[in-house]
Amino acid sequence: MPLCHSSPAILSLLKTSKTLRDLNQVHAHIIRRGCEQDHYLIAQFLTICTAAEPTNVCYPTAAFNAVISPNIYLWNILMKIHCENAPLSGCFSLFRRMREGGNVVPDKYTFPSLIKACSSVSALRDGRVVHAAAVRCGTEGDVFMGSSLIDFYGKCREIESAWKVFDGMDVRNEVSWTAMMVGCLDCGDMDAARKMFDEMPKKNDATWNAMIKGLVKSGDLVTAKKVFNEMPVRDAVSFTTLIGGYAKAGDMAAARFMFDQMPSKDLVSWSALMSGYVQNGKPGEAVKVFGEMRAMNLKPDEFILVSLMSACAQLGSSELARWIESYMHEGPYDTTRPHVAAALVDMNTKCGDMARATKLFEEMPQRDLVSYCSMIQGLCIHGRGAEAVSLFYRMIDEGVRPDGVAFTVILTTCSHAGLVDEGCRVFDLMTDKYFMSPSPDHYACMVNLLGKSGRVKAAYELIQSVPMDSHAGAWGALLGACRSHSDVELGEMVAKKLFEVEPQNAGNYVLLSNIYAEADRWLNVSDLRERMSEKGLQKVPGCSYLDSTTLA
DNA sequence: TTAGGGTTAG
């Protein structure tokens, strides 16, 4: 029996609590007044607890554990807290505890959070188990249940299962429709998504924004803008989605224009604008935006600081780097969080402070894939290829599994440092131990590596064995190698291939012409120059293919 | 009795 009935004094105290300190005080009151078994009061406490300290799972769990016989409300609240902040395994052990010793039966409020936790990590098998449990509990007819299942199957790319849930629902609302539409969008089925968008009885902001996002992702910015204009009330999300779309398309003028149109800008929109400038190689602009933001007395979050650090890395300014670091130490920023730490390492290597980068890297509580890659790349930039390779193996020893990007980084390093045998070993490791199929970029790295070390024939054989469509980058690297090793015969074959795959690239003609010139084959040179002018190709001096297409 | 769940942006 509760000793007190939701003491109004404690309740009102609880409602004004904002910080952990406030909560500790209220908690002390709860314990002193013997209210630890008051379900209603503890429910309030748990809710406010996570609002104040979202990532702290331990504290609400401890308060919950003090309740002798928690009711279903309390179980569901704690379940949601775990689902949002704890690893999936923790959520499932809580779920087991609830079913085995909880003396309660899971209800329709229990499952949606669990399903959501499964979809956030695409845990298809686990989600199916929860789905089955929900069916056994007779809650699968609930709209929330259905919507979370549609979202889950959509995120796991099981669109057929999503449709089955959607079609089987007796009652659907805008959330269920939106979740299904997002499933179609993620599968690339624009027609089905558009049909749903047009046919659904009711739309909310999330619906409109999801459609805009899908159109942006498919590259159709014109229709995205049209839908945006048709939206009854545009919120920060809609603006930010379009800003991101323009940034990805390289149109920073349009992105900036959208940003300036926003009636109220939040941190996410500032961050989108900044990272747009960073992505488009305009670090100076990103730094300027950061200045504008600070002038408005806005407190940057970690995302924004990561963008600022990337901008600084591009600028290579050690002064700015030092300023950012001291700024972060003053504020409430957690510099040990993986993405922040990785950005710090990257910034310091690119601004020339390898000692600082190494110190930061070694002092991290745990090094993840991204921080390892930042450090490996840093060593590569500073010409310390051998150290980079041994760091790569240390990463594997520490149990961090390399992904495709990590292999690109290490292969590029080997290629820059001329570590041919090491590169070949890494390439074999990727295919034989990790069973990864190399991407065009990986092949390009290998061709570069073999080609630069003079093994042009081996490079040619590798590229011919590639089971995918020829990648211009790899062939281009090989042509470059043919030039530096004066292999006219192979150069001709490679160039022929390149003229097929990228006929617009004048650089390939120039390379071949240089190969001829170095072999004193002037007749071939003039032939080639003629073919170039016939095709209307012109090589801009000092400008690569990438530059000229970007400018166009 | 009061309280608890699902869709959209960096």
Side-chain angles (χ1 to χ4, degrees):
Chain A
M1 277 293 288
L3 294 174
C4 70
H5 292 279
S6 305
S7 155
I10 297 184
L11 258 177
S12 66
L13 207 58
L14 192 53
K15 292 212 167 106
T16 57
S17 297
K18 293 268 181 297
T19 64
L20 189 61
R21 227 180 98 83
D22 299 340
L23 282 161
N24 282 329
Q25 282 182 359
V26 179
H27 199 184
H29 277 299
I30 292 174
I31 295 167
R32 237 195 340 258
R33 297 276 296 274
C35 295
E36 276 180 292
Q37 307 303 320
D38 183 332
H39 289 167
Y40 179 69
L41 189 61
I42 299 299
Q44 295 289 328
F45 182 77
L46 296 181
T47 309
I48 291 168
C49 215
T50 30
E53 294 251 303
T55 54
N56 186 348
V57 182
C58 301
Y59 194 34
T61 306
F64 173 89
N65 286 340
V67 183
I68 294 162
S69 177
N71 65 6
I72 187 68
Y73 286 93
L74 289 177
W75 277 107
N76 288 340
I77 296 168
L78 188 70
M79 184 61 95
K80 191 189 172 216
I81 292 173
H82 273 77
C83 287
E84 282 171 355
N85 300 291
L88 194 60
S89 56
C91 306
F92 275 94
S93 50
L94 187 69
F95 185 52
R96 264 195 304 279
R97 216 179 111 195
M98 173 184 188
R99 292 205 297 181
E100 285 163 8
N103 225 358
V104 287
V105 180
D107 66 3
K108 59 178 183 179
Y109 288 91
T110 315
F111 298 106
S113 335
L114 252 179
I115 288 291
K116 193 181 174 188
C118 293
S119 33
S120 67
V121 292
S122 296
L124 182 60
R125 281 174 61 97
D126 293 318
R128 283 198 195 281
V129 170
V130 178
H131 186 175
V135 172
R136 277 197 300 278
C137 292
T139 70
E140 90 271 34
D142 180 64
V143 211
F144 283 76
M145 192 66 229
S147 306
S148 60
L149 281 171
I150 293 168
D151 172 63
F152 163 72
Y153 285 121
K155 291 224 163 68
C156 292
R157 295 292 138 89
E158 290 280 313
I159 197 71
E160 289 305 320
S161 303
W163 276 117
K164 225 161 129 185
V165 174
F166 182 82
D167 291 333
M169 285 171 83
D170 295 322
V171 183
R172 301 179 195 97
N173 61 13
E174 55 271 41
V175 181
S176 350
W177 279 87
T178 304
M180 194 62 234
M181 185 188 84
V182 169
C184 296
L185 288 170
D186 288 344
C187 286
D189 191 346
M190 295 304 292
D191 293 341
R194 184 74 217 201
K195 195 157 170 275
M196 295 212 69
F197 183 74
D198 293 333
E199 284 175 1
M200 59 209 281
K202 209 168 160 224
K203 299 179 185 70
N204 60 19
D205 281 357
T207 318
W208 286 91
N209 292 329
M211 192 68 218
I212 294 170
K213 181 195 175 190
L215 289 163
V216 162
K217 218 179 133 201
S218 77
D220 188 354
L221 277 168
V222 176
T223 314
K225 183 72 201 303
K226 222 188 246 166
V227 173
F228 173 86
N229 288 335
E230 286 165 8
M231 221 177 142
V233 183
R234 289 166 280 272
D235 63 0
V237 182
S238 358
F239 278 96
T240 308
T241 310
L242 267 187
I243 290 171
Y246 287 126
K248 224 175 87 189
D251 189 350
M252 282 315 291
R256 178 76 218 203
F257 182 75
M258 285 305 296
F259 180 79
D260 290 334
Q261 301 286 305
M262 283 183 80
S264 64
K265 304 163 177 66
D266 60 6
L267 283 185
V268 184
S269 49
W270 283 95
S271 160
L273 185 67
M274 273 183 71
S275 72
Y277 282 123
V278 172
Q279 283 165 42
N280 285 288
K282 297 188 160 98
E285 290 300 315
V287 175
K288 253 192 237 164
V289 172
F290 180 78
E292 280 175 55
M293 201 187 88
R294 287 193 69 223
M296 296 180 70
N297 261 331
L298 287 166
K299 191 97 192 127
D301 66 3
E302 282 167 0
F303 281 94
I304 289 167
L305 288 166
V306 168
S307 279
L308 183 66
M309 285 189 272
S310 316
C312 178
Q314 281 183 23
L315 289 167
S317 159
S318 53
E319 282 154 291
L320 183 58
R322 276 197 295 274
W323 183 87
I324 295 172
E325 280 209 48
S326 63
Y327 178 84
M328 286 180 76
H329 284 302
E330 281 167 27
Y333 302 106
D334 183 2
T335 51
T336 63
R337 287 183 62 173
H339 62 288
V340 179
L344 273 167
V345 169
D346 180 63
M347 175 176 77
N348 276 289
T349 63
K350 290 190 178 138
C351 294
D353 196 341
M354 279 306 277
R356 176 89 190 123
T358 311
K359 187 168 185 290
L360 283 163
F361 179 75
E362 296 298 345
E363 284 174 355
M364 284 172 69
Q366 84 268 20
R367 284 156 287 275
D368 68 345
L369 183 63
V370 184
S371 46
Y372 262 111
C373 286
S374 302
M375 196 64 215
I376 291 169
Q377 198 174 31
L379 289 166
C380 170
I381 293 167
H382 288 267
R384 291 158 64 175
E387 285 168 78
V389 171
S390 54
L391 191 62
F392 179 76
Y393 285 109
R394 185 180 135 197
M395 174 180 89
I396 291 173
D397 288 341
E398 260 190 40
V400 177
R401 190 190 159 87
D403 67 352
V405 176
F407 276 109
T408 305
V409 170
I410 191 67
L411 288 173
T412 308
T413 302
C414 291
S415 155
H416 280 186
L419 299 167
V420 186
D421 294 337
E422 289 297 348
C424 293
R425 204 169 302 147
V426 167
F427 192 76
D428 290 341
L429 190 72
M430 171 164 71
T431 51
D432 300 347
K433 187 173 170 206
Y434 292 99
F435 305 110
M436 293 169 66
S437 44
S439 71
D441 278 343
H442 296 131
Y443 281 111
C445 285
M446 281 310 287
V447 167
N448 225 326
L449 178 75
L450 293 167
K452 270 173 73 177
S453 67
R455 291 161 65 174
V456 277
K457 288 278 182 302
Y460 182 66
E461 277 160 23
L462 177 73
I463 203 172
Q464 281 208 310
S465 72
V466 176
M468 64 189 83
D469 249 0
S470 335
H471 179 46
W475 288 102
L478 186 53
L479 188 59
C482 289
R483 190 204 162 177
S484 37
H485 295 280
S486 314
D487 193 329
V488 184
E489 200 186 331
L490 190 59
E492 279 180 322
M493 284 202 290
V494 173
K496 204 176 152 213
K497 179 78 191 171
L498 271 168
F499 297 159
E500 277 169 32
V501 282
E502 41 174 27
Q504 304 312 320
N505 187 351
N508 296 325
Y509 287 87
V510 176
L511 257 179
L512 181 61
S513 139
N514 289 340
I515 292 173
Y516 283 139
E518 272 160 27
D520 280 331
R521 287 168 55 167
W522 300 102
L523 214 58
N524 294 114
V525 173
S526 63
D527 269 358
L528 208 58
R529 295 277 166 179
E530 219 163 277
R531 273 175 70 189
M532 270 182 83
S533 52
E534 272 169 23
K535 285 176 187 281
L537 291 174
Q538 238 186 345
K539 175 84 165 88
V540 183
C543 186
S544 77
Y545 181 48
L546 189 67
D547 293 329
S548 47
T549 48
T550 312
L551 291 173

